[in-house]
Amino acid sequence: MQDKNKAANKKISFFGTMKAVFWSFIGLGKGKQSVNDGENFNPVHVVIAGVLGALILITVLIIIVKIVLSKVII
């Protein structure tokens, strides 16, 4: 029983948080496991991962728009 509590209280690493945020950006998750993981996230890591994810998403969208518009003849 104590092993379950230790596993439940274990904080998730920053890269684990980034992975979870990435999957949430595209709308995929692992059901109950993602709910359990959510209890173990460091809130600071979640904020940083969310901001980094948003910046990456915006950068990719800008690059795609520039590529598409460069091929359009006006």
Side-chain angles (χ1 to χ4, degrees):
M1 186 74 164
Q2 290 178 347
D3 291 335
K4 282 188 177 182
N5 289 338
K6 285 182 183 179
N9 290 332
K10 184 179 177 186
K11 291 292 181 183
I12 296 176
S13 70
F14 179 71
F15 292 108
T17 304
M18 283 294 295
K19 181 179 168 185
V21 169
F22 169 75
W23 287 115
S24 69
F25 263 86
I26 60 174
L28 296 175
K30 294 182 181 177
K32 284 187 176 183
Q33 183 180 358
S34 64
V35 172
N36 292 336
D37 288 347
E39 297 171 352
N40 299 324
F41 287 136
N42 182 342
V44 175
H45 289 173
V46 174
V47 171
I48 293 170
V51 170
L52 284 174
L55 289 174
I56 292 169
L57 177 66
I58 291 168
T59 303
V60 168
L61 291 175
I62 289 172
I63 291 170
I64 290 171
V65 168
K66 285 187 176 193
I67 290 171
V68 169
L69 290 179
S70 70
K71 297 182 187 259
V72 174
I73 301 173
I74 298 177

